Amino acid sequence: MGVSATALQRIIDGLVDVRRDSVRDYTAFSVHGTRFGYHWPRTETVGLKQTLLEQAALVAERPEVFEVQFTMGGFGWVVVRLPRIDADELEELLYEAWRLSAPEELAAQHPFTR
């Protein structure tokens, strides 16, 4: 179990129209100008946009993997500890974060597939 930074990048590369913005300590990910995630290599974590219900469920079920980052605009962001999650689950969470941020037409054209 655990996802490396390289594996994380491969998953993100599989998403459509993702823009990466690197800042000193992290890389932010957006689709059509809307942020859906952040990666902090030093702490081996990512922050992902989720629904408020999903944020609460993830943190309640596995606090060793997930923690509340913040809530904003009706969304709940979660911190994900990369060494404690498997690639398949992270892929689903990244897709969901992307889908919540992508224009509806784009998301409809690119449903989740493994």
Coordinates of all heavy atoms in Angstrom, one line a residue, residues 2-4 17 21 24 27-28 35 43 48 53 71 76-77 88 90-91 96 99 107-108 113:
G2 N 0.3 2.3 -0.4 CA 1.1 3.6 -0.5 C 1.2 4.0 -1.9 O 1.3 3.2 -2.8
V3 N 1.2 5.3 -2.2 CA 1.3 5.9 -3.5 C 2.5 6.8 -3.6 O 2.6 7.7 -2.8 CB 0.0 6.6 -3.9 CG1 0.1 7.3 -5.2 CG2 -1.2 5.6 -3.8
S4 N 3.4 6.6 -4.5 CA 4.5 7.4 -4.7 C 4.1 8.7 -5.4 O 3.1 8.8 -6.1 CB 5.6 6.7 -5.5 OG 5.2 6.5 -6.8
D17 N -7.5 17.8 -19.4 CA -7.4 19.3 -19.3 C -6.9 19.8 -17.9 O -7.4 20.8 -17.4 CB -8.7 20.0 -19.6 CG -9.1 19.9 -21.1 OD1 -8.2 19.6 -21.9 OD2 -10.3 20.1 -21.4
D21 N 0.2 24.1 -11.4 CA 0.8 25.3 -11.1 C 1.7 25.0 -9.9 O 1.3 24.7 -8.8 CB -0.2 26.4 -10.7 CG -1.0 26.8 -11.8 OD1 -0.5 27.2 -12.9 OD2 -2.3 26.7 -11.7
R24 N 6.4 27.2 -4.4 CA 7.6 26.7 -3.7 C 7.5 25.4 -3.0 O 8.3 24.5 -3.2 CB 8.0 27.8 -2.7 CG 9.4 27.5 -2.1 CD 9.8 28.6 -1.1 NE 8.9 28.5 0.0 CZ 8.7 29.4 0.9 NH1 9.3 30.6 0.8 NH2 7.9 29.3 1.9
T27 N 2.3 21.7 -5.5 CA 1.8 21.9 -6.9 C 0.3 21.8 -6.8 O -0.3 21.0 -6.1 CB 2.3 20.7 -7.8 OG1 3.7 20.7 -7.8 CG2 1.7 20.9 -9.2
A28 N -0.4 22.8 -7.4 CA -1.8 22.8 -7.4 C -2.3 22.3 -8.8 O -1.7 22.5 -9.8 CB -2.3 24.3 -7.2
R35 N -9.7 24.9 -9.1 CA -8.8 24.0 -8.4 C -9.5 22.8 -7.9 O -10.7 22.9 -7.4 CB -8.2 24.7 -7.1 CG -7.3 25.8 -7.5 CD -5.9 25.4 -7.5 NE -5.0 26.5 -7.5 CZ -4.2 26.9 -8.5 NH1 -4.2 26.2 -9.6 NH2 -3.5 28.0 -8.4
T43 N 5.6 16.5 2.7 CA 4.8 15.8 3.7 C 4.1 14.6 3.1 O 3.4 13.9 3.9 CB 3.7 16.7 4.3 OG1 2.8 17.2 3.2 CG2 4.3 17.9 5.0
L48 N -7.6 17.2 -1.5 CA -8.5 17.0 -2.6 C -9.9 17.5 -2.3 O -10.4 17.4 -1.1 CB -8.7 15.5 -2.9 CG -7.4 14.8 -3.3 CD1 -7.7 13.3 -3.5 CD2 -7.0 15.3 -4.6
L53 N -20.3 15.6 2.6 CA -20.7 14.3 3.1 C -19.5 13.4 2.9 O -19.2 12.6 3.8 CB -21.9 13.8 2.4 CG -23.2 14.4 2.8 CD1 -24.4 13.9 1.9 CD2 -23.5 14.3 4.2
T71 N -13.3 23.7 4.6 CA -14.5 23.7 3.9 C -14.7 25.0 3.2 O -14.3 26.1 3.8 CB -15.8 23.4 4.7 OG1 -15.9 24.3 5.7 CG2 -15.7 22.0 5.3
G76 N -16.0 20.1 0.9 CA -15.1 19.8 2.0 C -13.8 19.2 1.4 O -13.8 18.2 0.7
W77 N -12.7 19.8 1.7 CA -11.4 19.4 1.3 C -10.8 18.4 2.3 O -10.9 18.7 3.5 CB -10.5 20.6 1.1 CG -10.9 21.4 -0.1 CD1 -12.0 22.2 -0.3 CD2 -10.2 21.5 -1.4 NE1 -12.0 22.8 -1.5 CE2 -10.9 22.3 -2.2 CE3 -9.0 20.9 -1.9 CZ2 -10.5 22.6 -3.5 CZ3 -8.6 21.2 -3.1 CH2 -9.3 22.1 -4.0
D88 N -5.7 2.5 -6.3 CA -7.0 2.5 -6.9 C -7.9 3.4 -6.2 O -8.7 4.1 -6.8 CB -7.6 1.1 -6.8 CG -6.9 0.1 -7.8 OD1 -6.3 0.6 -8.7 OD2 -7.1 -1.1 -7.6
L90 N -7.1 6.1 -4.4 CA -6.6 7.5 -4.7 C -7.1 7.9 -6.1 O -7.5 9.1 -6.3 CB -5.1 7.7 -4.6 CG -4.6 9.1 -4.8 CD1 -5.2 10.1 -3.8 CD2 -3.1 9.1 -4.8
E91 N -7.0 7.0 -7.1 CA -7.5 7.3 -8.4 C -9.0 7.7 -8.4 O -9.3 8.7 -9.1 CB -7.3 6.1 -9.3 CG -7.6 6.3 -10.8 CD -7.3 5.1 -11.6 OE1 -7.3 4.0 -11.1 OE2 -7.2 5.3 -12.9
E96 N -13.0 12.0 -8.6 CA -14.1 12.7 -8.1 C -13.8 14.2 -7.8 O -14.7 15.1 -8.1 CB -14.6 12.1 -6.7 CG -15.8 12.7 -6.1 CD -17.0 12.6 -6.9 OE1 -17.1 11.8 -7.9 OE2 -18.0 13.3 -6.6
R99 N -14.0 15.8 -11.2 CA -15.3 15.9 -11.7 C -16.1 17.0 -11.0 O -16.9 17.7 -11.7 CB -16.1 14.5 -11.5 CG -17.5 14.5 -12.1 CD -18.2 13.3 -11.6 NE -18.5 13.3 -10.2 CZ -19.5 14.1 -9.6 NH1 -20.2 14.9 -10.3 NH2 -19.7 14.1 -8.3
A107 N -17.0 16.6 -17.9 CA -17.1 15.4 -17.0 C -18.0 14.4 -17.7 O -17.7 13.2 -17.6 CB -17.7 15.9 -15.7
A108 N -19.1 14.7 -18.3 CA -20.0 13.8 -19.0 C -19.2 13.0 -20.1 O -19.5 11.8 -20.3 CB -21.2 14.4 -19.5
T113 N -13.2 5.5 -15.6 CA -12.9 4.2 -16.0 C -11.6 3.8 -15.4 O -10.7 4.6 -15.3 CB -12.8 4.0 -17.5 OG1 -11.9 4.9 -18.0 CG2 -14.2 4.3 -18.2

